[in-house]
Amino acid sequence: MSGFVEKPEPIQVPGLVHLHTGKVRELYQNEAGDLVMVASDRISAYDWVLPTEIPDKGRVLTQLSLWWFDQLADLIPNHIISTDVPEGAPADWAGRTVVCKSLQMVPVECVARGYLTGSGLVEYNESRTVCGLALPEGLSDGSELPAPIFTPATKAAVGEHDENVSYEEVARQVGADTAAQLRQATLAVYTRGRDIARDRGILLADTKFEFGFDGDTLVIGDEVLTPDSSRFWPAESWEPGHAQPSYDKQFVRDWLTSAASGWDRKSEQPPPALPQEVVDRTRAKYIEAYERLTGTSWS
């Protein structure tokens, strides 16, 4: 069992129809048929959406995505129409809300990996492959791959795991042409993001994207290259052979699996509330990632 510890009630706004409550975002539709996406301060770990929020997280994710969309504009179009807060919405939606095109979404998590870690490391240790792609001997946790690889996954519901699948399976599900477009776009965006991040002292280990079609045009949607969708490592401390420090939920995961939390991950009991120190350190990591990547101060 997993999912929301306490599922929130969506805010009702005149002129908006609530469509979906995700792990982090609330999705609405306005009267023009556009989507309105609101990033909350919720945080998830181990397939649970935790009862404790991280202040400013929703704004950080939204503003960082908008910055990245600008950096990627010559590579691929994005779904953003405006950042105006809909009339009648709460004031605290400012900075965390985007109005987007309604796309025909492709039901694939498009993952790019430039370094070996996470579920890729587990598969590599078993078979020297990741999503069926053969990799050389001698790699360890944190090793840079010879070249970035496209390792797609199925898109899971809240509380369930995404499952890695082969490129051939993606082609079977969405067609060969679309699969080829997804792979090309994923690797192009990853490479651009990796190079920009590296110039700022951050390694982009892996990341996931969501794409949809606006007519016949492939468009990138949702969030892009944030600490929630990507694994960022400080370049100055990178050392293959062990887990790397990262700009994401590291403090949350570490505390949840420590004796201090009193939580058994293998049980069906929901995780407890986070202590203030973990909240503060996690917030600081999200803001540090934003500031290092964009070169601007958070305010």
Side-chain angles (χ1 to χ4, degrees):
M1 181 180 176
S2 54
F4 287 89
V5 174
E6 300 169 4
K7 189 167 185 177
E9 285 295 322
I11 294 170
Q12 302 300 318
V13 178
L16 298 184
V17 176
H18 181 261
L19 300 178
H20 178 67
T21 295
K23 289 181 180 179
V24 173
R25 290 168 181 76
E26 300 288 346
L27 191 63
Y28 297 80
Q29 188 173 49
N30 64 20
E31 292 173 338
D34 304 319
L35 297 181
V36 178
M37 197 163 64
V38 186
S40 74
D41 291 339
R42 296 192 291 268
I43 192 166
S44 64
Y46 300 119
D47 298 319
W48 284 96
V49 180
L50 305 181
T52 311
E53 295 189 338
I54 307 298
D56 288 323
K57 178 172 173 284
R59 286 202 301 136
V60 169
L61 296 182
T62 302
Q63 297 306 311
L64 187 55
S65 285
L66 291 170
W67 183 83
W68 277 115
F69 283 137
D70 285 344
Q71 314 307 309
L72 303 168
D74 62 314
L75 287 182
I76 189 166
N78 62 67
H79 66 162
I80 302 297
I81 295 174
S82 83
T83 57
D84 295 338
V85 176
E87 187 174 345
D92 70 358
W93 279 22
R96 66 177 72 241
T97 301
V98 290
V99 181
C100 320
K101 295 177 183 177
S102 182
L103 305 175
Q104 183 182 348
M105 299 304 295
V106 182
V108 176
E109 291 280 2
C110 292
V111 179
R113 302 175 191 268
Y115 294 77
L116 187 63
T117 193
S119 63
L121 176 66
V122 173
E123 182 183 335
Y124 174 81
N125 286 337
E126 293 173 350
S127 62
R128 297 297 184 264
T129 64
V130 176
C131 287
L133 297 174
L135 293 175
E137 294 282 345
L139 301 180
S140 62
D141 192 354
S143 290
E144 185 171 9
L145 302 178
I149 57 175
F150 176 58
T151 59
T154 57
K155 187 167 173 55
V158 174
E160 297 180 10
H161 279 297
D162 293 344
E163 290 189 9
N164 293 345
V165 295
S166 67
Y167 177 77
E168 290 72 23
E169 176 61 20
V170 172
R172 189 189 68 79
Q173 290 185 14
V174 303
D177 288 347
T178 296
Q181 287 187 69
L182 293 175
R183 180 167 60 183
Q184 188 278 330
T186 297
L187 293 176
V189 173
Y190 170 82
T191 301
R192 172 71 60 82
R194 177 201 62 190
D195 293 348
I196 290 173
R198 187 177 285 165
D199 286 345
R200 290 155 171 78
I202 291 178
L203 301 182
L204 176 57
D206 53 41
T207 189
K208 63 181 180 180
F209 308 116
E210 293 194 31
F211 297 95
F213 281 95
D214 180 16
D216 294 330
T217 303
L218 188 68
V219 174
I220 194 167
D222 197 46
E223 63 182 320
V224 61
L225 295 168
T226 72
D228 267 18
S229 65
S230 313
R231 217 182 305 251
F232 291 118
W233 297 336
E236 64 270 16
S237 60
W238 174 60
E239 184 183 55
H242 57 80
Q244 312 296 312
S246 58
Y247 290 99
D248 57 9
K249 311 169 190 178
Q250 179 184 348
F251 294 122
V252 171
R253 294 191 189 101
D254 288 351
W255 183 79
L256 285 173
T257 54
S258 72
S261 76
W263 181 57
D264 180 2
R265 183 182 169 189
K266 297 178 181 177
S267 74
E268 293 190 356
Q269 294 300 311
L274 300 175
Q276 191 61 45
E277 179 189 7
V278 174
V279 171
D280 292 343
R281 293 176 76 185
T282 302
R283 177 182 181 272
K285 274 295 178 188
Y286 275 83
I287 290 173
E288 183 184 349
Y290 173 88
E291 291 183 336
R292 287 190 70 169
L293 288 166
T294 66
T296 59
S297 297
W298 178 253
S299 59

